[in-house]
Amino acid sequence: TRVVMSKHEAKAAADARKRLKMAEGDEKDLHALAKPLRYESRKQYLEKRKEDKIYELEQQVTIDKQIFDYDELTEKEKLDFDYRQKILENVKKYDQAGNILKQDRYHLPDATKDIPTAYIEEEDIPGGDGRRWEQERMKTATFRAGAKDRIKDDYSDELLLDEQIDFIQTSLMPGADEAPKEPPISAAQKKKMTIDETRKSLPVFAFREEFIQAVKDHQVLIIEGETGSGKTTQLPQYLYEAGFCADKKRIGCTQPRRVAAMSVASRVAEEVGTKLGAVVGYSIRFEDCTSERTAIKYMTDGMLLREFMNEPDLASYSVMMIDEAHERTLHTDILFGLVKDIARFRPDLKLLISSATLDADKFSKFFDNAPIFRIPGRRFPVDIYYTKAPETDYVDAAVISILQIHMTQPLPGDILVFLTGQEEIENIQEALNERIKFLGSRIKELIVLPIYANLPSDMQVKIFEPTPPTARKVVLATNIAETSVTIDGITYVIDPGFVKQNSYDARSGIEQLNVVPIAKAAANQRAGRAGRTGPGKCFRLYTAWCYKHELEDQPTPEIQRTNLGNVVLLLLSIGINDLVHFDFLDPPPKETLIAALEHLYALGALNHKGELTTLGRKMAEFPTDPAMSKMILASDEYGCSEEIITIAAMLSVNASIFYRPKAMAVHADAARKGFWSPVGDHLTLLNVFNRWKETNFSTQWCMESFVQHRTMKRARDIREQLEALLERVEIEAKSTTDTEAIRKAIAAGYFYNLAKLDKGSFKTVKHRHTTQIHPNSSLFEDPPRWVMYYELVMTTKEFMREVIDVDPRWLSKIAPHYYKSNE
Ligand code: ADP
Ligand code: MG
């Protein structure tokens, strides 16, 4: 609520100010603005940390004062309140003494002495003894003393665990009611088990017959079961084995995430004993790995939505499982309404709605009181630790915590860290590997493994490999590991408490991907990951106070915070015209629906009666956003379909195309500038792709040009798909070198995103919103008067990413619905 928002907004603003200040001094460094700061020296780094800390504490204390009436606080809250005041004073005081490092982690001797331990929530700790993290830290202290003299001076701050995070245990997440009587199965033991034995060891196995019977007895079934109990991998198999795939019918299972769809399908293919794509397959955007024979099909929720266009009654399926329903993604939410409708006129279709959390009642009500099938969980207790005071830099705190755990906790016991995205994961991976290298043989082996959406599949399987007994595995994951993917052997969870989430404001038209605090429900899911194979520990990099007062109970469903353009076009194309009365589990804001319809009208996808036009119907064929689909279709008129689908593919890869190793930054920047087009970034992307094509898609060329080969390969795949779709809507492949024609085609899709230079900064035409060209753009240094951007991104401040130089006089012809009236 108010506290969370204001605190983060304030922090973001402060960060932006600081980073801008840094960059002003050195205008030539384009990257300083966009990249996370790389600190020149340890000193500068500490300065920044100190500033941040004071700022954050001040913010919190002021906000506290505004919001809470001290006298009305409970005793515990008062202590917490006083404690934070005290920390602030201490930080300031210590600042003068010049010792930043120590106080930064709240190790001030005078501060800790005065801090009452009473604010540990004793009643939450069964037995009340509260095993203290501090005790375990003693081991590190010994280690430090022993190693100290071997460390060179200039490294001593950075590489040893001088920095520690003070955690405090305040509560314990109880295990499931029926605590398991058998000893837990370790990951190593599991490795020895055959696939068959592993399958039988999963909690769902005991309910196999009951489950099959329930599906036979009821058309719709809500399934609720702890993450890792075997819902996703086992239930479709059980039904397959029980003969639900007779008459060439399929069992479908949707996943909100691409990685999950792929990884689960590959696991199930292995269990069934077939090649992926044969009996078991998957389908995700721009990639179909299924065949005639596929009986169990995993797919993203978005792909199933698209299937409705070709098969409105899902005739080829006998069972459809909407999995991970609790995630409440936009596509899953829309699917609820659609499958509910279909179930009415297809009594032979079985529907399973499965969820890892306690929303089952809500789902049951929505599906006309469908019965709930509960799979009792098998969960061990998890100790919850909080930091004593807020952490300013959770990335840094995560690195320290990982090492702290590794050096103090016994083996086996792997670590799972929840991060917000690929870039953050890569940063941490780099920082960790640096430290591991430095520590060398003084610590046991630590295997660092990432998992995020764009990770190639051969890397994905690595996280499932059992850890050798002498080593520890640390998995750096995005939210995907919260419920979609289960990794065995995790004993420690580190939860910084953030997630990357999109937000959309229909009135301002601003769409953003922001890092926001998670909800309590998500925090508890994350903690639960530590207790799957034995008792575990969860380290939250935020305070108990924060958990209690600042986190929302439940996350907002995506449908209420995202742009609906895509989905509205899709629904219209499958004949659902009355969107206002569509059966939503939770309806989207009306303004968002209206904004989507307006945009589609401006694009020419709808006529004035709100009906789909021929153009709109063609646009719906493309799995891209409406603006991009329009751009692709418009390319026909401008004779540049070849170039436009290349540009569309390059924009769609959604990962960085260039890389910039620190040591070679100068070369990388030069190489990158070699691709620059004077008229804008879309053309730069085109240049990269075309030159790669000229080398016959050479890997070597990518390396020499500081271009990510992996990303390029994906762009090539996407381009092939778009090419096939062009054929389907009967558009000829045409090519041109006229960059004006290409820019006009782009403008035909993105005319909403027009911005005008106005006294040194840009203002968007539609909403008079102030923004700026991203420093990575070729137009950054010498901006034209009018630009059209691909998207707005929020890094250190708001930027337009991928911009082209346009002539506003084009627009009344290119987008008459929209610009005629504005003239
Ligand atoms: P649920 O859907 O109930 O959360 P799953 O069916 O995803 O449970 O997981 C059941 C088991 O299968 C877990 O123990 C998990 O570790 C294992 N598993 C899932 N995917 C893979 C994979 N790709 N490789 C190895 N094991 C996997
Ligand atoms: Mg699952």
Side-chain angles (χ1 to χ4, degrees):
T1 52
R2 226 162 87 212
V3 187
V4 176
M5 285 308 297
S6 50
K7 190 177 131 204
H8 284 275
E9 273 168 11
K11 171 114 172 59
D15 281 352
R17 270 201 304 279
K18 261 172 235 149
R19 287 184 194 185
L20 268 178
K21 217 161 55 200
M22 296 269 321
E24 269 162 20
D26 184 11
E27 274 176 41
K28 269 177 241 121
D29 188 3
L30 298 177
H31 298 275
L33 272 166
K35 291 267 162 188
L37 275 185
R38 296 237 178 266
Y39 303 98
E40 304 251 296
S41 63
R42 180 76 186 157
K43 186 159 163 279
Q44 190 189 6
Y45 169 69
L46 292 171
E47 284 288 313
K48 158 98 169 59
R49 281 252 299 270
K50 176 196 68 193
E51 265 180 58
D52 275 357
K53 176 121 296 162
I54 293 180
Y55 184 79
E56 169 150 320
L57 288 166
E58 253 168 8
Q59 278 293 315
Q60 246 187 31
V61 170
T62 341
I63 292 166
D64 286 355
K65 277 187 189 147
Q66 283 164 2
I67 292 178
F68 300 105
D69 187 349
Y70 188 81
D71 295 332
E72 281 178 13
L73 296 178
T74 67
E75 274 314 299
K76 253 185 283 164
E77 282 166 344
K78 274 184 192 160
L79 283 170
D80 196 289
F81 198 98
D82 295 343
Y83 170 65
R84 285 207 273 167
Q85 292 272 16
K86 185 150 190 72
I87 292 226
L88 179 60
E89 282 158 28
N90 273 323
V91 169
K92 285 187 171 164
K93 209 158 47 196
Y94 234 76
D95 178 26
Q96 287 152 13
N99 189 344
I100 304 144
L101 189 69
K102 285 247 169 61
Q103 54 78 20
D104 201 22
R105 293 296 174 204
Y106 318 115
H107 276 219
L108 276 182
D110 54 342
T112 41
K113 222 181 282 163
D114 293 345
I115 289 163
T117 47
Y119 82 108
I120 301 177
E121 296 171 2
E122 292 288 350
E123 75 267 30
D124 287 344
I125 309 172
D129 61 342
R131 261 160 298 159
R132 287 297 211 85
W133 179 236
E134 271 92 323
Q135 286 166 6
E136 288 152 354
R137 264 189 19 233
M138 291 305 289
K139 291 179 205 157
T140 331
T142 326
F143 164 83
R144 223 191 307 156
K148 192 144 205 154
D149 43 5
R150 275 189 278 155
I151 309 297
K152 278 204 236 101
D153 269 359
D154 46 339
Y155 280 127
S156 54
D157 291 339
E158 191 151 317
L159 293 165
L160 274 191
L161 290 180
D162 261 0
E163 303 167 281
Q164 300 216 349
I165 311 243
D166 251 4
F167 285 104
I168 186 159
Q169 184 190 7
T170 71
S171 60
L172 187 135
M173 204 184 199
D177 293 344
E178 48 268 72
K181 280 163 204 89
E182 339 84 79
I185 303 163
S186 77
Q189 267 173 301
K190 226 173 175 171
K191 165 95 176 168
K192 279 201 220 94
M193 292 198 289
T194 61
I195 280 188
D196 208 38
E197 284 164 344
T198 313
R199 287 190 64 196
K200 286 183 180 156
S201 74
L202 291 172
V204 284
F205 182 72
F207 303 90
R208 187 178 183 277
E209 306 314 318
E210 254 176 85
F211 166 72
I212 293 169
Q213 195 54 48
V215 175
K216 285 182 179 157
D217 293 344
H218 305 278
Q219 189 186 8
V220 185
L221 208 56
I222 315 292
I223 294 152
E224 183 193 287
E226 191 77 34
T227 305
S229 53
K231 299 181 299 298
T232 312
T233 54
Q234 303 307 305
L235 299 184
Q237 281 190 79
Y238 293 166
L239 296 176
Y240 170 67
E241 290 154 5
F244 276 81
C245 291
D247 309 328
K248 294 202 157 178
K249 295 260 196 228
R250 288 175 166 176
I251 296 166
C253 176
T254 67
Q255 295 292 314
R257 301 154 198 282
R258 322 161 10 104
V259 199
M262 286 158 70
S263 120
V264 163
S266 112
R267 168 69 182 178
V268 175
E270 192 187 332
E271 290 186 5
V272 172
T274 73
K275 256 182 38 210
L276 191 56
V279 175
V280 184
Y282 68 87
S283 164
I284 59 181
R285 190 167 81 136
F286 297 126
E287 196 176 332
D288 184 13
C289 181
T290 62
S291 60
E292 280 286 289
R293 288 175 56 207
T294 303
I296 303 178
K297 176 168 169 181
Y298 290 93
M299 65 195 115
T300 51
D301 44 10
M303 283 315 288
L304 180 59
L305 262 187
R306 303 206 67 80
E307 285 192 15
F308 273 89
M309 287 173 56
N310 301 323
E311 197 181 70
D313 55 354
L314 298 183
S316 62
Y317 294 94
S318 57
V319 182
M320 184 51 71
M321 173 161 163
I322 309 291
D323 200 8
E324 314 289 339
H326 60 271
E327 289 236 5
R328 303 292 311 276
T329 60
L330 171 63
H331 291 150
T332 292
D333 263 25
I334 300 286
L335 284 175
F336 290 146
L338 292 176
V339 295
K340 178 177 173 183
D341 187 44
I342 290 191
R344 294 205 181 103
F345 59 89
R346 262 206 64 193
D348 58 318
L349 176 72
K350 300 293 188 184
L351 272 186
L352 306 175
I353 311 294
S354 77
S355 152
T357 48
L358 311 169
D359 312 323
D361 290 330
K362 183 167 181 167
F363 295 128
S364 167
K365 236 179 242 135
F366 179 77
F367 286 97
D368 306 323
N369 298 316
I372 300 174
F373 192 91
R374 289 206 163 87
I375 302 158
R378 179 201 283 164
R379 205 214 276 143
F380 296 85
V382 174
D383 295 339
I384 310 266
Y385 295 83
Y386 293 94
T387 53
K388 276 187 183 172
E391 285 294 333
T392 45
D393 181 350
Y394 69 82
V395 168
D396 192 49
V399 173
I400 297 168
S401 305
I402 291 166
L403 290 168
Q404 233 172 321
I405 291 171
H406 185 48
M407 291 155 84
T408 59
Q409 304 293 298
L411 292 176
D414 296 337
I415 308 171
L416 173 62
V417 192
F418 285 98
L419 299 160
T420 65
Q422 179 175 351
E423 195 176 320
E424 199 171 279
I425 288 178
E426 285 169 352
N427 286 344
I428 293 204
Q429 201 175 357
E430 197 183 321
L432 260 180
N433 283 334
E434 226 166 74
R435 290 196 179 205
I436 292 170
K437 210 157 78 197
F438 180 81
L439 291 166
S441 61
R442 279 168 293 168
I443 56 166
K444 296 218 173 76
E445 191 187 355
L446 188 63
I447 304 166
V448 186
L449 297 171
I451 175 128
Y452 48 82
N454 283 323
L455 193 71
S457 33
D458 52 323
M459 300 284 288
Q460 282 171 27
V461 295
K462 284 207 173 138
I463 63 164
F464 295 106
E465 283 169 13
T467 318
T470 54
R472 191 190 305 278
K473 176 160 84 184
V474 47
V475 179
L476 308 175
T478 56
N479 224 16
I480 181 165
E482 202 171 285
T483 59
S484 312
V485 167
T486 302
I487 306 152
D488 292 325
I490 300 292
T491 308
Y492 308 99
V493 163
I494 297 175
D495 173 18
F498 290 95
V499 67
K500 209 181 255 176
Q501 204 175 61
N502 51 1
S503 72
Y504 174 64
D505 178 15
R507 251 174 308 121
S508 67
I510 293 174
E511 229 173 322
Q512 275 178 358
L513 201 56
N514 289 332
V515 172
V516 299
I518 56 171
K520 284 198 181 83
N524 293 335
Q525 273 294 337
R526 289 179 174 190
R529 305 296 82 227
R532 252 181 47 75
T533 40
K537 294 188 168 94
C538 173
F539 299 96
R540 292 182 171 158
L541 302 182
Y542 40 93
T543 59
W545 189 90
C546 166
Y547 174 80
K548 217 165 149 189
H549 302 273
E550 295 188 351
L551 300 191
E552 305 274 357
D553 287 338
Q554 292 290 336
T556 316
E558 191 182 7
I559 196 167
Q560 296 179 335
R561 53 174 168 79
T562 193
N563 182 341
L564 297 175
N566 230 339
V567 156
V568 166
L569 182 61
L570 218 134
L571 287 175
L572 288 171
S573 77
I574 57 178
I576 293 172
N577 295 317
D578 184 3
L579 296 168
V580 176
H581 295 105
F582 183 77
D583 200 353
F584 291 112
L585 183 56
D586 287 306
K590 259 214 176 97
E591 308 83 73
T592 313
L593 268 180
I594 292 167
L597 290 168
E598 271 174 9
H599 190 197
L600 290 171
Y601 174 73
L603 287 165
L606 302 182
N607 63 21
H608 64 281
K609 281 188 246 158
E611 298 158 347
L612 216 55
T613 59
T614 318
L615 177 70
R617 209 160 285 287
K618 285 185 182 167
M619 276 168 62
E621 292 279 340
F622 286 82
T624 44
D625 279 340
M628 186 175 280
S629 310
K630 172 70 187 293
M631 165 180 91
I632 294 172
L633 291 167
S635 69
D636 194 24
E637 194 179 322
Y638 299 98
C640 55
S641 52
E642 293 273 10
E643 285 73 25
I644 286 294
I645 56 170
T646 302
I647 290 170
M650 291 291 277
L651 291 171
S652 298
V653 287
N654 197 16
S656 46
I657 285 155
F658 300 100
Y659 70 92
R660 190 174 186 266
K662 245 186 286 178
M664 315 262 280
V666 181
H667 301 280
D669 290 347
R672 181 179 189 144
K673 283 186 183 162
F675 296 110
W676 274 7
S677 157
V679 292
D681 305 314
H682 297 65
L683 281 302
T684 299
L685 294 176
L686 179 67
N687 287 341
V688 176
F689 190 90
N690 283 347
R691 279 199 229 157
W692 182 50
K693 195 171 151 195
E694 280 162 25
T695 69
N696 210 3
F697 308 112
S698 141
T699 315
Q700 180 71 24
W701 177 87
C702 286
M703 271 159 59
E704 287 161 6
S705 315
F706 296 93
V707 165
Q708 304 261 19
H709 184 245
R710 231 201 278 148
T711 313
M712 293 303 292
K713 261 195 352 212
R714 205 169 129 64
R716 188 175 146 196
D717 289 345
I718 295 176
R719 193 183 182 284
E720 273 169 23
Q721 304 257 339
L722 292 175
E723 211 170 5
L725 286 165
L726 273 186
E727 233 166 80
R728 197 153 132 183
V729 296
E730 293 173 343
I731 288 183
E732 241 180 278
K734 279 187 256 170
S735 180
T736 181
T737 50
D738 176 6
T739 62
E740 187 171 314
I742 297 171
R743 281 179 291 150
K744 280 180 175 166
I746 297 169
Y750 291 92
F751 55 81
Y752 254 35
N753 302 353
L754 183 66
K756 185 186 178 187
L757 188 61
D758 181 17
K759 297 189 202 93
S761 68
F762 278 90
K763 273 220 162 55
T764 63
V765 171
K766 192 166 158 53
H767 299 288
R768 320 284 314 142
H769 184 73
T770 307
T771 175
Q772 204 180 325
I773 295 182
H774 195 280
N776 279 347
S777 167
S778 64
L779 302 182
F780 175 71
E781 270 168 290
D782 187 13
R785 252 167 76 72
W786 294 86
V787 295
M788 199 161 275
Y789 61 87
Y790 170 61
E791 62 182 356
L792 291 177
V793 292
M794 185 79 188
T795 50
T796 49
K797 60 183 289 186
E798 200 177 276
F799 291 113
M800 298 181 280
R801 205 170 72 93
E802 318 297 358
V803 294
I804 48 166
D805 179 354
V806 292
D807 182 340
R809 282 170 303 182
W810 300 342
L811 293 170
S812 58
K813 183 151 173 291
I814 290 172
H817 286 48
Y818 186 60
Y819 281 100
K820 196 166 49 193
S821 55
N822 287 27
E823 261 172 16

